[in-house]
Amino acid sequence: MTRFSTNRLQTQLTIAISLIALTTTSFAAPQNRTRFEGALPPKGAVTSKPKAAPKPTPAAVPTDPEDESTINVTLETGDEELDHTLGATEDTIGKSRAALEGNLGPRNGRTRNSSKLISRALSYRGARYRFGASGTNGVFDCSSFVQHLMRGEGVSLPRTAREQFGTGKKISRSELLPGDVVFFAGTYRSGISHVGMYVGDGMFVHAASTKRGVVMDPLDLPYYNSKFAGARRFK
């Protein structure tokens, strides 16, 4: 064999070995990619965090605008804000309360019986307030408080302020006497939404809020004055 033939054979053998090596690498590469897929992202790839599952939305609690027992914390929050917007200082309100206390008696009411009603109404001052409470264990909301007072006088009233407003004898503000029931509109919703009992000398007692409980306030405070909607007489 000539020297030229030997060199040519060596060259062909080298090329064949190279082709075999390349073929082996081509078949192995997909397997390697599959094996390591997900372990490391491809170079230069943009990665992102998996999105969190959305939180379940709580089911809405149905409410009936005609039923005071279904109204939520809106009333309480509004009344707590109201404590700072009554339009008079606590000292001024306290003096009005003290003046009424000094005038309590038969001359301040229609009859001796109405004076007893007022004394009983005022005896509840400091009682707890809870929206929707019916008066059990001495806990009231505004309408159950008035309902409870009138029940003691033998008068049966509906449960809500709006229903109570539709009963009794309509009277003007100038005709108010102790024992009459006063109504307010737009305190936490449109329409009749609050009620209390007039006790004389421009004052009324009512179950105001969780923060205040049952209290006595002047009827002519700017807030109550602006919300006054009318009065009813039941006896």
Side-chain angles (χ1 to χ4, degrees), residues 31-45:
Q31 294 176 2
N32 292 337
R33 285 198 301 270
T34 302
R35 182 179 178 183
F36 295 104
E37 187 175 3
L40 291 173
K43 187 176 180 180

Side-chain angles (χ1 to χ4, degrees), residues 23-94:
T23 303
T24 304
T25 303
S26 299
F27 282 104
Q31 294 176 2
N32 292 337
R33 285 198 301 270
T34 302
R35 182 179 178 183
F36 295 104
E37 187 175 3
L40 291 173
K43 187 176 180 180
V46 178
T47 60
S48 60
K49 295 182 180 179
K51 294 183 179 179
K55 295 182 179 179
T57 303
V61 178
T63 59
D64 179 359
E66 297 292 335
D67 182 1
E68 292 183 13
S69 65
T70 64
I71 305 301
N72 56 26
V73 75
T74 303
L75 173 63
E76 178 184 335
T77 303
D79 279 354
E80 289 181 358
E81 293 172 356
L82 169 62
D83 289 343
H84 305 285
T85 59
L86 288 174
T89 64
E90 184 59 33
D91 182 61
T92 299
I93 297 173

Side-chain angles (χ1 to χ4, degrees), residues 15-230:
I15 293 172
I17 292 172
S18 299
L19 289 174
I20 292 171
L22 287 173
T23 303
T24 304
T25 303
S26 299
F27 282 104
Q31 294 176 2
N32 292 337
R33 285 198 301 270
T34 302
R35 182 179 178 183
F36 295 104
E37 187 175 3
L40 291 173
K43 187 176 180 180
V46 178
T47 60
S48 60
K49 295 182 180 179
K51 294 183 179 179
K55 295 182 179 179
T57 303
V61 178
T63 59
D64 179 359
E66 297 292 335
D67 182 1
E68 292 183 13
S69 65
T70 64
I71 305 301
N72 56 26
V73 75
T74 303
L75 173 63
E76 178 184 335
T77 303
D79 279 354
E80 289 181 358
E81 293 172 356
L82 169 62
D83 289 343
H84 305 285
T85 59
L86 288 174
T89 64
E90 184 59 33
D91 182 61
T92 299
I93 297 173
K95 289 179 180 178
S96 298
R97 291 170 180 153
L100 173 63
E101 299 280 5
N103 287 335
L104 284 177
R107 70 183 183 85
N108 193 43
R110 298 190 294 273
T111 66
R112 184 177 181 180
N113 288 336
S114 68
S115 181
K116 288 182 178 179
L117 169 61
I118 300 311
S119 295
R120 188 163 66 91
L122 294 177
S123 73
Y124 284 100
R125 283 176 295 176
R128 288 174 52 209
Y129 173 100
R130 188 179 73 243
F131 200 83
S134 62
T136 305
N137 299 324
V139 182
F140 304 95
D141 65 9
C142 65
S143 55
S144 67
F145 178 60
V146 171
Q147 184 187 48
H148 176 77
L149 293 176
M150 297 309 299
R151 185 184 296 125
E153 299 296 302
V155 178
S156 179
L157 293 185
R159 174 64 181 86
T160 69
R162 183 174 296 186
E163 292 171 329
Q164 292 171 2
F165 187 70
T167 62
K169 178 185 177 182
K170 183 179 179 179
I171 58 173
S172 67
R173 186 164 176 169
S174 62
E175 297 175 299
L176 279 173
L177 292 173
D180 290 335
V181 177
V182 290
F183 295 88
F184 306 85
T187 57
Y188 69 95
R189 67 176 184 188
S190 60
I192 301 300
S193 54
H194 192 61
V195 61
M197 178 170 286
Y198 184 70
V199 292
D201 283 358
M203 305 287 287
F204 76 109
V205 63
H206 60 133
S209 68
T210 301
K211 182 178 179 180
R212 305 181 71 209
V214 176
V215 293
M216 180 170 64
D217 284 319
L219 192 59
D220 62 358
L221 286 176
Y223 178 84
Y224 294 123
N225 194 44
S226 67
K227 304 294 184 181
F228 185 81

